[in-house]
Amino acid sequence: MENYSKESSDVSLLKQKRKYFVGSVTLRDISSKIKMRDQKVYLAGFRNGARTKLHYHQGDQTLVITKGKGVLVLYKKISSKKGILRIKPVSKTRLKQGDVVLIPRQTLHWHGAIAKNNFVHIALNAFYQGKESKTIWFESDFASSASGLY
């Protein structure tokens, strides 16, 4: 038996996915280690206000908060013209150790640590139509500039 709660990062995985985060993060794929067959499981750590960029998943995502204080912000698409996506926030949820939250499939969102705090969660990304769910990422500088607000 191995304890997967350590915040160490999978260096090669983080190198592949670094562009999807703002700030200092750790990331480990623990799916194969725990032999999950119907979802991808990640252990993600966010230091001192770090966060994801705006994104959505083809399948549902469940976050299990294991440490610290964070935030989840959900958005609604208003329109999309000439490659510009217009969105508006529909909810902001503060998260703390012990919280569990379901993010429904295809819901635009970002999540991460509250400013001056660290935050760790397990992300369970459900497969969609029997295959690994894709994550669709957006360039979202507004998320990094919002760090002081939460």
Side-chain angles (χ1 to χ4, degrees), residues 42-43 62-67 96-101 119-124:
Y42 296 95
L43 180 65
T62 302
L63 302 180
V64 179
I65 314 316
T66 61
K67 186 176 181 181
K96 65 185 181 325
Q97 183 176 342
D99 288 345
V100 177
V101 63
F119 177 66
V120 180
H121 67 63
I122 297 169
L124 301 123

Side-chain angles (χ1 to χ4, degrees), residues 7 46-49 67-70 113-114 116-120:
E7 289 182 55
F46 302 84
R47 290 194 175 87
N48 191 24
K67 186 176 181 181
K69 295 179 184 176
I114 293 173
K116 299 181 183 175
N117 282 269
N118 296 335
F119 177 66
V120 180

